[in-house]
Each structure stands twice: as C-alpha cells, then as structure tokens.
C-alpha cells in the first residue's frame, strides 16, 4: 500500500444538514474533535464507528448533481492522502 485514504469530502449547500443525513445512514459522530481538521460554518465532519470519515464542505452556488447528466457536476472529491 502506498497511501491511506483519510477522508472523502462532499461539496454541499448546507454542511450541517448533509452531515446529519449521513449520520442517520452510517452512525458516528458529527464534528468529533480531530487535530487533522478545522471545523467551521463552511466545514463539518462525520467520524463513523467503522473508521470511515466523511467531510462536508460548503460550496458557493452549489448545484446538486443529477447523475449521469454531464451538465451537472458531481460533488465528491477525495482529500488528504498520507
């Protein structure tokens, strides 16, 4: 293994709403203190019991994806490899 994925970041209009939605699906803690990440009005995190970490980043003028419509961008990116 050459890298370890630490986090998947989802762009969204409302970081609290989307983090709570994924918490209801996956369990875990929203905005658990973690020295790797800063929290704020434009950023939230979800640490799941299984070790998966999702982050939610407010994107200005966010347009929800309409997969597979290429006219609407996808909203997931991976970040922070170690």
């Amino acid at each position: 293994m050459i890298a370890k994925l630490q986090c998947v970041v989802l762009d969204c209009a409302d970081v609290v709403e989307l983090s709570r939605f994924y918490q209801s699906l996956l369990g875990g803690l929203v905005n658990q203190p973690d020295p790797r990440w800063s929290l704020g009005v434009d950023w939230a995190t979800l640490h799941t019991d299984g070790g998966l970490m999702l982050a939610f980043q407010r994107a200005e003028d966010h347009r929800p994806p309409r997969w597979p419509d290429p006219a609407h961008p996808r909203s997931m990116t991976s970040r922070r490899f170690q």
Side-chain angles (χ1 to χ4, degrees):
M1 179 169 61
I2 61 170
K4 180 180 178 184
L5 179 64
Q6 292 185 17
C7 179
V8 174
V9 180
L10 299 171
D11 290 346
C12 60
D14 185 329
V15 298
V16 173
E17 179 182 30
L18 195 58
S19 64
R20 297 288 181 206
F21 169 77
Y22 275 96
Q23 181 185 38
S24 70
L25 292 175
L26 304 171
L29 297 172
V30 171
N31 292 337
Q32 171 181 311
D34 186 326
R36 299 173 296 176
W37 311 100
S38 296
L39 302 172
V41 296
D42 295 332
W43 183 266
T45 60
L46 173 64
H47 290 74
T48 68
D49 296 336
L52 172 67
M53 188 184 146
L54 297 176
F56 308 91
Q57 172 177 268
R58 191 176 73 78
E60 198 70 34
D61 300 322
H62 180 263
R63 291 178 10 208
R66 294 185 198 167
W67 190 86
D69 183 355
H72 294 276
R74 288 155 186 82
S75 61
M76 182 183 298
T77 58
S78 59
R79 300 260 172 101
R80 303 245 340 188
F81 288 89
Q82 180 175 331

